[in-house]
Amino acid sequence: MVAPTNIFANIPAALADEQFTALWSTTTLRVERIISHGQASPPGFWCDQEHAEWVLVLQGAAVLAFEGDVDPVRLKRGDFLYIPPHARHRVEWTDPDQVTVWLAIHHGASLDQHQALTDVAPT
Amino acid sequence: MVAPTNIFANIPAALADEQFTALWSTTTLRVERIISHGQASPPGFWCDQEHAEWVLVLQGAAVLAFEGDVDPVRLKRGDFLYIPPHARHRVEWTDPDQVTVWLAIHHGASLDQHQALTDVAPT
């Protein structure tokens, strides 16, 4: 018997840090749910990943900044974005008044060795 | 300048067949949007893929059946499901009264050679 899981289930009411939940993981792929509630990257922090990432905002709102770009990228429900390897970026803002639910797809040959770094760095 | 795309944009008002749009594609990964509007798999058809698939219903409702399972799987907004390689399955039903928007992630070593089959078979 196959049973689905709902991606909007089990969302914590309050979060000190962003929450990362792996939904599917192989040596070259990690699909994860990210829950944000007002969190942003630490001041001066840029996320620099060897692998590519694709993010989709399922609920809520966020702002991503890319190094060298004047204008940050505003994301609302349904917006998705491809982040190439080594495109240095940071989460400038997530909506403090509602939970933001992201689907992130990490994909690349170097995924294994960078999983720990990726999971820890953005919180 | 990085600009997001919205996954709910450009949804056709009427569809003779399901619509498949690749959002990110490599030799071992294909992320696609699928739009259904009442379509189902042809009678007797079972989808049998060498690669694994992960599906998430972003909007709408659908029913998947897996060969050998008595009960089909009902999927509503937010429900996701992992489909292992060679898990024979079919789309029993999609809601005829609203558009169903799926996110599908296909992943596996054999993706390239099966892309054409996968794209064509379910319509």
Side-chain angles (χ1 to χ4, degrees):
Chain A
M1 172 62 199
V2 182
T5 309
N6 197 278
I7 203 157
F8 301 110
N10 300 316
I11 293 179
L15 278 175
D17 297 312
E18 286 184 305
Q19 184 194 71
F20 298 77
T21 307
L23 306 177
W24 182 14
S25 189
T26 75
T27 54
T28 59
L29 178 75
R30 190 171 73 258
V31 178
E32 66 188 7
R33 183 184 79 167
I34 306 172
I35 305 289
S36 314
H37 199 159
Q39 288 88 1
S41 301
F45 172 86
W46 292 98
C47 184
D48 184 337
Q49 298 176 138
E50 291 214 8
H51 61 268
E53 184 176 352
W54 185 95
V55 292
L56 166 65
V57 171
L58 295 169
Q59 176 185 303
V63 176
L64 290 184
F66 286 81
E67 196 178 41
D69 279 4
V70 175
D71 297 321
V73 183
R74 297 186 172 276
L75 299 169
K76 62 182 186 304
R77 174 179 176 269
D79 283 344
F80 65 86
L81 197 65
Y82 173 76
I83 304 174
H86 298 299
R88 286 162 62 89
H89 62 283
R90 45 179 281 117
V91 179
E92 283 284 350
W93 176 88
T94 58
D95 195 334
D97 296 326
Q98 62 175 323
V99 168
T100 296
V101 181
W102 314 69
L103 185 79
I105 305 175
H106 301 267
H107 174 53
S110 60
L111 205 57
D112 261 4
Q113 65 201 85
H114 288 270
Q115 178 156 1
L117 178 66
T118 307
D119 277 358
V120 170
T123 62
Chain B
M1 173 62 202
V2 182
T5 309
N6 196 278
I7 204 158
F8 301 110
N10 300 316
I11 294 179
L15 279 174
D17 297 313
E18 285 184 307
Q19 183 194 71
F20 298 78
T21 307
L23 306 176
W24 182 13
S25 188
T26 75
T27 53
T28 60
L29 178 75
R30 189 171 74 258
V31 178
E32 65 188 8
R33 182 183 81 168
I34 305 173
I35 305 288
S36 313
H37 199 157
Q39 287 89 1
S41 301
F45 172 86
W46 292 98
C47 185
D48 184 336
Q49 299 175 137
E50 291 214 6
H51 62 269
E53 184 176 352
W54 186 94
V55 293
L56 166 65
V57 171
L58 296 170
Q59 174 185 303
V63 175
L64 291 183
F66 286 81
E67 195 177 43
D69 279 3
V70 175
D71 296 321
V73 183
R74 296 187 172 276
L75 298 170
K76 62 182 185 304
R77 174 178 176 269
D79 283 344
F80 63 87
L81 198 65
Y82 173 76
I83 303 173
H86 298 298
R88 287 161 62 89
H89 62 284
R90 45 179 281 118
V91 179
E92 283 285 349
W93 176 87
T94 58
D95 195 333
D97 297 326
Q98 61 176 323
V99 168
T100 296
V101 182
W102 313 70
L103 186 78
I105 304 175
H106 301 266
H107 174 53
S110 60
L111 205 56
D112 259 6
Q113 65 201 86
H114 288 271
Q115 179 156 359
L117 177 65
T118 306
D119 278 357
V120 169
T123 62

